Amino acid sequence: MQSVLQVLASGLAIGCVYGLVALSFVLIYKATATVSFMQGELLMLGAFAVLALNAGAGWPLALAVPVGLAGMVALGAGLERSILRRALGQPHLTAVLLTFGIGLVLRGAVATIPAASQSMHRLALPFGEEPLRLGHLAVAPAHAAVILATVAVAVALTLFFRHTRVGLALRACAEDARAAALMGVPVAAMHTLAWALGAGLAAFAGLLLAPITFVHLGMGLVALKAFPAAVLGGLTSLPGALAAGIFLGLAEALAGLVLPEGIKDLVPYLLLMAALFLCPQGLGSAFGRLRG
């Protein structure tokens, strides 16, 4: 029983990372109706940005983390203003392919740096080494930090969308961009904000993932498991995406405990297909019906 609880604690932490990346997918999709296929690269680039500022430039983590995340937010806004905005009025596939191409460019740019592409790097976040004891359960400090940070992000996003004018404007734009424009909401600025927040969330997820998997060129592949969580959540529900990410993390951890080696990587996709057969609109829609 204790080993199951240990595995579930680990799965909860990984599920939180899936949930954060899924939130970035949903945030962008709700505001712009575009599926971004560069979230994995933004996750990887965010971790490398903080690593470069800390280990490369010698900045303290207290300065490197906010500056690195702010840089990723600015990068997301800049990509929307300079490239992605040009896809407005074009078929949706154009914007999707643009995000795919930008992701390849970002990955290629990092790969040109020999120190970044040839090894794994440790980002020394101050989480400590000693496991936290909860009775007989030992939780790694990095896992506990991921869980607490995810709760903090969920609370912050809830407050932002419910109690700030900008958050309400972004929600209005996501519900009906034309009606929002008629009410005076600057739709173009909201699109920029959505891409900026999406990049920031992905980078934050990369920062939390760094102590668990180290920083390396392939760490963005976690987005391939977060995307099923976003779809499972309905692609338009922020709570649904977070819940689906946690669900997939727990299911994957349990599968790793009881199923043969290698099978657990298939679990997110198998669960996605099974859930979509039972609930085609995703978990977010199912939660909405239960509350209604």
Side-chain angles (χ1 to χ4, degrees):
M1 185 62 184
Q2 185 176 347
S3 62
V4 174
L5 291 176
Q6 290 288 163
V7 168
L8 286 178
S10 173
L12 178 61
I14 297 299
C16 286
V17 174
Y18 293 165
L20 287 175
V21 183
L23 284 178
S24 73
F25 278 112
V26 172
L27 196 59
I28 292 170
Y29 183 80
K30 276 176 70 74
T32 67
T34 299
V35 176
S36 172
F37 282 105
M38 61 179 179
Q39 296 310 103
E41 282 72 22
L42 291 173
L43 179 150
M44 175 268 296
L45 189 59
F48 268 112
V50 175
L51 179 71
L53 292 174
N54 178 239
W59 291 16
L61 276 173
L63 185 60
V65 169
V67 170
L69 293 180
M72 294 303 298
V73 169
L75 176 64
L79 289 174
E80 193 278 337
R81 287 294 184 95
S82 61
I83 300 175
L84 296 165
R85 183 168 293 187
R86 298 176 185 276
L88 286 176
Q90 303 295 323
H92 289 310
L93 185 60
T94 302
V96 172
L97 292 178
L98 274 176
T99 64
F100 186 71
I102 293 170
L104 291 178
V105 170
L106 293 177
R107 183 181 176 83
V110 176
T112 59
I113 304 172
S117 62
Q118 294 175 358
S119 59
M120 303 172 77
H121 305 272
R122 183 175 183 271
L123 182 59
L125 293 176
F127 293 155
E129 300 292 339
E130 288 296 320
L132 305 176
R133 297 285 178 183
L134 300 173
H136 295 293
L137 181 67
V139 180
H143 290 173
V146 170
I147 295 168
L148 292 176
T150 302
V151 172
V153 167
V155 171
L157 285 177
T158 301
L159 295 176
F160 172 72
F161 281 113
R162 291 188 179 180
H163 300 292
T164 67
R165 291 177 63 86
V166 176
L168 291 172
L170 188 54
R171 283 178 63 189
C173 183
E175 294 296 331
D176 190 330
R178 186 184 298 273
L182 291 174
M183 296 297 291
V185 173
V187 174
M190 292 300 107
H191 284 182
T192 304
L193 178 62
W195 284 101
L197 289 177
L201 269 177
F204 187 62
L207 192 61
L208 294 176
L209 189 63
I212 300 174
T213 66
F214 295 101
V215 179
H216 56 94
L217 197 60
M219 66 185 300
L221 293 176
V222 73
L224 294 178
K225 294 183 179 177
F227 183 66
V231 176
L232 196 57
L235 262 182
T236 57
S237 169
L238 293 173
L242 186 57
I246 293 172
F247 169 67
L248 289 184
L250 293 173
E252 187 183 48
L254 284 176
L257 182 67
V258 300
L259 296 178
E261 181 70 21
I263 299 296
K264 74 170 190 175
D265 290 332
L266 299 177
V267 168
Y269 310 105
L270 294 175
L271 286 176
L272 172 65
M273 289 189 289
L276 289 181
F277 275 120
L278 299 173
C279 183
Q281 301 302 318
L283 293 182
S285 175
F287 291 154
R289 287 199 299 273
L290 288 174
R291 286 186 300 182

